[in-house]
Amino acid sequence: MTTEATTVYDVHCHIHETPKSFKDLDNEGQAVYCVQATKYSDWADVLDLKTQFDKIIIPAFGVHPWFVERVQSGEIPSTWASELRQVLMQHGGIVGECGLDKAARNATSLIPFEPQVEILETQLGIAHELCLPVSLHCVRAFGVLADMLRKLEKSQRLPPRIMLHSYSGSPDMLQQMFLRGELGQRIYVSFSRFVNCRNRAKSEECIRIVPAERLLVESDLHDASSTAAALEAAIALVAEARGWDFSQTKKTLAANSRAFFKYF
């Protein structure tokens, strides 16, 4: 896989869900995609995409908080955690997408929160055990997430690198809860056009708070044909917030992405 600074890294996307768009993937290595599974049944789809486009796909495997009820119902088997550990050991990649979401709903009600906590704790444990990065989704649960990570910090069981994907919390929460101490040295923060341009002023303030070497960008999209424009917009958002030249911003973000994924 190329490591040139011109490479654009999409550190969080779901393009495995739109196979018809695979023709638009850049197989020359000028774009690299971290493709994130969410619900166990799509782990195989991510693996298939990795097989087809090995040089440009970084796989991520996990159970998203929107799908924890499938664990409770048995649709996702009780062996999911051991299977997750095995697929990561066999194929590499990172843990994700996983996290917490107090706004998530099923057809009739909010998705229960306590099972989300339990399933995330399991996945963070696997990330620590295998020394792998983790990609975290968080909506309206930043305090709980920070408390969980601080407990792991105290017990020395943090994953090596932790991405807050499409961070949507406040600048104060980011600085006070996540960017201090040992935890703060492991946190990377990713921004996307899809989420972060909804409140550009707040997002720019967050971008200015994050250490320069731990900024990332993503598309968070499902269609490969749309990722290039989304990433350009995310890079421009970071450049504008930091007062950086676009080209240098692109190089900085590429270097940060390589540091986050480390062995890719």
Side-chain angles (χ1 to χ4, degrees), residues 100-102 113 136-150 164-170 173-174 177-178 183 189 202:
L100 301 172
D101 193 327
K102 284 190 172 181
F113 189 67
L136 294 179
H137 167 108
C138 190
V139 175
R140 299 182 187 174
F142 290 103
V144 178
L145 178 62
D147 287 346
M148 186 184 300
L149 294 174
R150 289 297 176 189
L164 301 177
H165 111 82
S166 284
Y167 177 76
S168 61
S170 73
M173 284 193 296
L174 182 58
M177 294 181 179
F178 295 104
L183 173 61
V189 188
K202 182 179 79 169

Side-chain angles (χ1 to χ4, degrees), residues 16-259:
H16 62 292
E17 297 186 5
T18 313
K20 67 180 182 181
S21 72
F22 293 173
K23 68 182 187 305
D24 295 305
L25 289 172
D26 175 7
N27 205 23
E28 299 302 314
Q30 295 307 298
V32 174
Y33 310 85
C34 183
V35 183
Q36 311 239 347
T38 57
K39 48 186 177 287
Y40 176 83
S41 60
D42 62 352
W43 296 359
D45 297 330
V46 172
L47 279 176
D48 286 346
L49 186 58
K50 172 67 173 172
T51 300
Q52 292 179 62
F53 300 94
D54 178 60
K55 293 181 179 180
I56 62 169
I57 300 298
I58 299 170
F61 306 98
V63 177
H64 192 287
W66 294 354
F67 303 108
V68 297
E69 289 178 308
R70 298 187 185 187
V71 177
Q72 295 177 293
S73 71
E75 182 179 345
I76 294 177
S78 60
T79 57
W80 71 269
S82 61
E83 292 183 53
L84 176 59
R85 185 179 292 105
Q86 185 60 38
V87 75
L88 289 163
M89 291 174 64
Q90 184 175 351
H91 300 285
I94 75 169
V95 178
E97 179 179 2
C98 53
L100 301 172
D101 193 327
K102 284 190 172 181
R105 301 184 64 87
N106 57 30
T108 59
S109 63
L110 289 171
I111 292 173
F113 189 67
E114 283 307 311
Q116 295 182 39
V117 172
E118 294 171 9
I119 288 170
L120 177 57
E121 286 176 340
T122 298
Q123 293 177 94
L124 290 170
I126 292 170
H128 168 76
E129 174 191 338
L130 300 181
C131 200
L132 293 175
V134 61
S135 177
L136 294 179
H137 167 108
C138 190
V139 175
R140 299 182 187 174
F142 290 103
V144 178
L145 178 62
D147 287 346
M148 186 184 300
L149 294 174
R150 289 297 176 189
K151 288 177 183 177
L152 294 176
E153 178 184 39
K154 288 180 181 178
S155 63
Q156 299 184 324
R157 293 188 57 80
L158 281 171
R161 293 172 301 285
I162 301 161
M163 180 203 309
L164 301 177
H165 111 82
S166 284
Y167 177 76
S168 61
S170 73
D172 285 345
M173 284 193 296
L174 182 58
Q175 189 165 50
Q176 298 297 324
M177 294 181 179
F178 295 104
L179 293 179
R180 293 185 170 187
E182 176 64 23
L183 173 61
Q185 298 303 310
R186 302 190 185 207
I187 290 286
Y188 287 71
V189 188
S190 182
F191 297 89
S192 68
R193 178 179 69 179
F194 179 65
V195 172
N196 298 110
C197 286
R198 299 173 189 172
N199 188 334
R200 195 176 183 98
K202 182 179 79 169
S203 296
E204 288 185 356
E205 188 174 351
C206 290
I207 290 167
R208 287 190 287 271
I209 288 170
V210 178
E213 69 275 14
R214 292 201 296 279
L215 286 163
L216 302 170
V217 292
E218 61 180 90
S219 71
D220 198 19
L221 296 181
H222 299 245
D223 190 321
S225 65
S226 302
T227 58
L231 290 168
E232 289 284 306
I235 295 167
L237 174 67
V238 172
E240 182 176 334
R242 299 297 293 237
W244 294 344
D245 171 80
F246 183 88
S247 178
Q248 185 57 48
T249 303
K250 194 173 178 181
K251 292 177 181 178
T252 298
L253 293 168
N256 295 353
S257 300
R258 290 192 293 274

